[in-house]
Amino acid sequence: MKRIVAITGGIGSGKSAVLGFVKDMGFQTLSADDANRRLLCDPEYLSRLEELFPDAFIGGVFDRAKLADIVFNDDNERLKLNSLAHGCIGDIIRREIDRVDGVIFVEVPLLIESGLIDIFDDIIVVTSPKSVRVKRVEARDGVCEDKVLKRMNVQTDDETLASFATYVIENDSTLDELREKVTTVKNSIVQKM
């Protein structure tokens, strides 16, 4: 028996921390971000990316920061990237899910936008105050508040995500308290098996 669980939420909400906790608990995990990193090592994918975004390649070398500047400043360019990336990432995730049994947790930052929402039995939405999220992303990615806010503004808001959620985890305190919340949700999911 298989149960497929999405972990989603806005940038800086703590999705990766939640995924790390369930992985430490012995569950199988996948990450859309990891799938994207794999794609960025695939020459065929990079070729397709270069066709769409030649300015994101300097001397034939992909520049992730340059692509971010392009897509977060132009909705049409972002949609063009999403039309390529979401399908490829979705294919990787579906193939990996097909190979496992039991409960699998999949971190999908852009769950609704990716078109993957229907493959999940449960959806965990991780939320956190906007000011906390901004500070986390600034520290993690070394970008200014303006760039973080541009990314946040193109993502689905917490209220909309929560309307699809089986569980909402508010990440507003310590990591120990977050781990306790994750354990409670994990226990509920396991009981459904």
Side-chain angles (χ1 to χ4, degrees), residues 38-177:
R38 285 170 48 190
L39 286 170
L40 293 175
C41 294
D42 178 340
E44 182 180 327
Y45 181 80
L46 285 171
S47 176
R48 292 169 65 192
L49 197 59
E50 188 171 15
E51 287 175 21
L52 293 173
F53 304 99
D55 292 342
F57 287 77
I58 300 168
V61 177
F62 175 64
D63 185 325
R64 187 179 184 130
K66 182 66 177 162
L67 181 62
D69 284 342
I70 293 168
V71 301
F72 288 113
N73 286 302
D74 185 324
D75 288 343
N76 290 328
E77 294 298 297
R78 185 173 37 80
L79 293 172
K80 196 163 57 170
L81 174 63
N82 288 349
S83 70
L84 170 65
H86 288 320
C88 295
I89 290 168
D91 289 345
I92 291 172
I93 288 172
R94 284 183 180 92
R95 280 194 306 270
E96 294 295 322
I97 287 171
D98 285 345
R99 296 181 184 154
V100 299
D101 288 319
V103 180
I104 183 165
F105 292 84
V106 185
E107 179 186 14
V108 186
L110 301 174
L111 180 64
I112 295 169
E113 298 89 338
S114 70
L116 293 172
I117 195 165
D118 293 335
I119 70 171
F120 294 101
D121 300 304
D122 293 295
I123 297 171
I124 300 170
V125 174
V126 184
T127 64
S128 193
K130 189 173 189 176
S131 61
V132 173
R133 293 170 52 201
V134 168
K135 290 192 184 321
R136 285 179 188 150
V137 178
E138 284 177 319
R140 181 190 72 199
D141 296 350
V143 294
C144 66
E145 179 178 354
D146 185 52
K147 287 188 177 189
V148 177
L149 291 173
K150 278 185 180 181
R151 293 177 188 182
M152 285 179 154
N153 290 335
V154 298
Q155 291 185 330
T156 303
D157 62 77
D158 286 347
E159 293 77 23
T160 301
L161 286 176
S163 72
F164 291 93
T166 315
Y167 305 94
V168 175
I169 295 177
E170 179 67 30
N171 180 16
D172 58 356
S173 190
T174 67
L175 282 176
D176 286 338
E177 289 183 16

